[in-house]
Amino acid sequence: MLLLLLGIIVLHVAVLVLLFVSTIVSQWFIANGRTADLWQNCSTLGVSSSFQCIPSSTNEWLQSVQAMMILSIIFSVLSLFLFFCQLFTLTKGGRFYLTGIFQILAGLCVMSGAAIFTVRHTDWQPTTGDTAFGFAYILAWVAFPLAVTSGVIYVILRKRE
Amino acid sequence: MWSQGASGSGSLLLVAALFSALVLSPTLAIHVYTHREVHGTVGSQVTLSCSFWSSEWISEEVSITWLFQPETGKDTTSIFHFVKGQPYVDEVGTFKNRMEWVGDPHRKDGSIVIHNLEHTDNGTFTCDVKNPPDIAGKSSQVTLYVFEKVPTQYGVVLGSIIGGVLGLVILVVVLAYLIRYCWLRRQATLQRQLSAMEKGKLQRSAKDSSKRGRQPPVLYAMLDHSRSTKSASEKKSKGLLGESRKDKK
């Protein structure tokens, strides 16, 4: 039982870390030595010269991706908080419905954010030359099934002791 | 970005200059105010507002001049002049037939409107006002940016999405709690009625078995009567609940 509890918390924290990393790190998109994320475009001038970052565009779709990522973080943090609340207040045999719902919402938000980025990144990124998605983008996609899984586990789980 | 920063520091300098001018020489100075930046889309119109403040009365000699320096060139051209109560509009240059005078010097307003914007209108406009004898003072500049489509301001969509979704979630949670609260209350009242009914039955049977006085059964009959006048749906649910209770037992 304790092991299960620990496992769930570790899974939840892992999802949170993934969400934070993918939101903050400037590696959503790589093109010709330039890296871009939701907040800024960075480029290295020359071989070992200065690393320059400029704020990213104010495209509506980019802003909605930002909003989705922030929402997913908010929901996931809220879910963790609610989990600890329900752990101490829930009656025996109750299910963690509220926690699960918020965690699933976080998963849906990160999915829609990443999906919007996939479809719409050409609106604000030039796609000439060799371009690739960065690891922060992949982490966002990894965070989606993990968040949904942990949300489903919360819903299935019944409280013991 | 750079130009914004530069204009920001420029305006700071301007404020400092104005401040020093105000403090050091409070008399005989004319102040001209414009926006710092104006955005417009191609084909639309834009108002270049210009207001001024003078320590003197507004005389008949007041003159207002608008100068234009295109983004791509160094030359400054005069595009508008107001003197002796008469506006003179550019009739040969780039703003031919596209400019309109909407100001009123007696209200300390020297604004102009530019219609049918083009990309070549990008540049700096300078408003200069002289109100003899009050002629000392700086002119003010406004930069016009013409876009194909005005870009959305940073954070507007972001904020509205986050606010909207959070508001929706809070609304749903509050609604769910309200519904649950009402349901629980209803359940509680039903439970109370049921328990009262059972207690009544028990007591009545006890009374019947003991066969004492006639008064209490009348009271219970009255209670029973009041219950029977309740709504049909409630009765039905009560009956169902009663049955389920019986089944459990």
Side-chain angles (χ1 to χ4, degrees):
Chain A
M1 183 58 200
L2 201 67
L3 211 67
L4 186 65
L5 199 71
L6 214 67
I8 292 162
I9 292 172
V10 165
L11 184 64
H12 199 135
V13 171
V15 169
L16 260 183
V17 168
L18 283 183
L19 285 179
F20 269 111
V21 168
S22 62
T23 308
I24 293 164
V25 174
S26 183
Q27 284 279 348
W28 275 70
F29 196 74
I30 305 166
N32 314 322
R34 257 174 351 97
T35 60
D37 73 341
L38 310 179
W39 313 102
Q40 54 192 9
N41 293 324
C42 293
S43 54
T44 323
L45 302 169
V47 184
S48 59
S49 59
S50 64
F51 188 68
Q52 255 195 349
C53 291
I54 54 163
S56 60
S57 79
T58 57
N59 185 287
E60 294 94 336
W61 290 106
L62 182 60
Q63 286 194 35
S64 54
V65 176
Q66 295 168 352
M68 284 300 158
M69 293 307 292
I70 289 174
L71 274 176
S72 72
I73 287 179
I74 290 174
F75 283 144
S76 198
V77 169
L78 200 68
S79 167
L80 192 62
F81 178 72
L82 280 173
F83 176 65
F84 283 113
C85 286
Q86 289 196 314
L87 203 61
F88 293 111
T89 60
L90 215 61
T91 51
K92 190 186 163 189
R95 288 171 192 256
F96 295 91
Y97 279 123
L98 215 56
T99 310
I101 287 170
F102 274 108
Q103 186 71 344
I104 289 172
L105 266 182
L108 291 182
C109 279
V110 71
M111 181 206 71
S112 35
I116 292 171
F117 190 88
T118 314
V119 178
R120 287 278 167 180
H121 72 274
T122 48
D123 286 12
W124 65 87
Q125 293 287 356
T127 47
T128 50
D130 52 336
T131 59
F133 289 114
F135 78 86
Y137 169 82
I138 295 164
L139 287 190
W141 272 119
V142 171
F144 157 58
L146 286 185
V148 172
T149 312
S150 79
V152 168
I153 288 175
Y154 281 132
V155 172
I156 292 173
L157 210 68
R158 276 175 189 280
K159 195 186 166 185
R160 263 204 195 158
E161 38 180 321
Chain B
M1 218 59 235
W2 288 113
S3 71
Q4 257 183 18
S7 64
S9 62
S11 75
L12 211 72
L13 272 175
L14 196 75
V15 166
L18 277 176
F19 181 71
S20 62
L22 273 172
V23 171
L24 297 176
S25 58
T27 55
L28 279 188
I30 190 159
H31 300 293
V32 184
Y33 307 100
T34 59
H35 290 127
R36 202 143 49 88
E37 270 180 27
V38 171
H39 297 178
T41 51
V42 174
S44 71
Q45 62 173 45
V46 71
T47 305
L48 301 174
S49 60
C50 171
S51 57
F52 58 93
W53 182 88
S54 173
S55 56
E56 298 286 326
W57 284 104
I58 306 299
S59 67
E60 287 301 310
E61 298 291 311
V62 66
S63 74
I64 300 165
T65 307
W66 277 94
L67 304 169
F68 173 59
Q69 181 184 15
E71 200 180 41
T72 48
K74 268 193 280 180
D75 302 329
T76 302
T77 51
S78 179
I79 56 166
F80 176 84
H81 193 59
F82 180 95
V83 71
K84 293 200 165 115
Q86 198 65 41
Y88 297 95
V89 184
D90 175 13
E91 293 292 351
V92 286
T94 51
F95 296 102
K96 185 182 173 184
N97 299 331
R98 294 200 290 133
M99 212 160 58
E100 191 191 341
W101 160 246
V102 293
D104 181 358
H106 293 289
R107 275 193 250 152
K108 299 187 167 71
D109 180 14
S111 307
I112 55 170
V113 172
I114 295 174
H115 296 281
N116 203 5
L117 286 175
E118 293 167 8
H119 278 300
T120 49
D121 299 342
N122 271 316
T124 309
F125 292 79
T126 309
C127 179
D128 193 16
V129 182
K130 300 275 176 265
N131 183 31
D134 190 11
I135 52 134
K138 280 199 162 85
S139 54
S140 182
Q141 292 189 332
V142 52
T143 311
L144 173 66
Y145 293 102
V146 182
F147 296 104
E148 282 291 341
K149 178 172 147 268
V150 172
T152 46
Q153 228 175 340
Y154 187 76
V156 172
V157 179
L158 179 80
S160 53
I161 289 180
I162 290 181
V165 171
L166 283 186
L168 198 74
V169 165
I170 288 170
L171 194 76
V172 166
V173 167
V174 166
L175 265 181
Y177 263 92
L178 262 179
I179 290 170
R180 211 178 137 207
Y181 175 72
C182 289
W183 193 71
L184 281 178
R185 251 183 60 167
R186 209 188 135 108
Q187 287 290 309
T189 51
L190 280 177
Q191 202 72 35
R192 219 178 308 130
Q193 280 174 357
L194 262 176
S195 66
M197 200 165 70
E198 273 180 13
K199 212 192 280 174
K201 268 184 193 166
L202 273 174
Q203 280 186 5
R204 199 191 304 171
S205 62
K207 292 273 160 68
D208 284 347
S209 65
S210 65
K211 286 190 173 130
R212 260 186 284 160
R214 300 292 301 164
Q215 200 62 22
V218 174
L219 186 70
Y220 289 123
M222 272 167 68
L223 266 177
D224 279 340
H225 177 71
S226 70
R227 264 204 303 278
S228 66
T229 53
K230 287 258 168 71
S231 69
S233 66
E234 214 169 332
K235 218 192 284 176
K236 199 187 278 177
S237 67
K238 207 191 298 172
L240 280 172
L241 268 169
E243 272 168 30
S244 68
R245 280 178 74 91
K246 262 180 217 162
D247 288 346
K248 265 184 209 165
K249 279 181 182 174

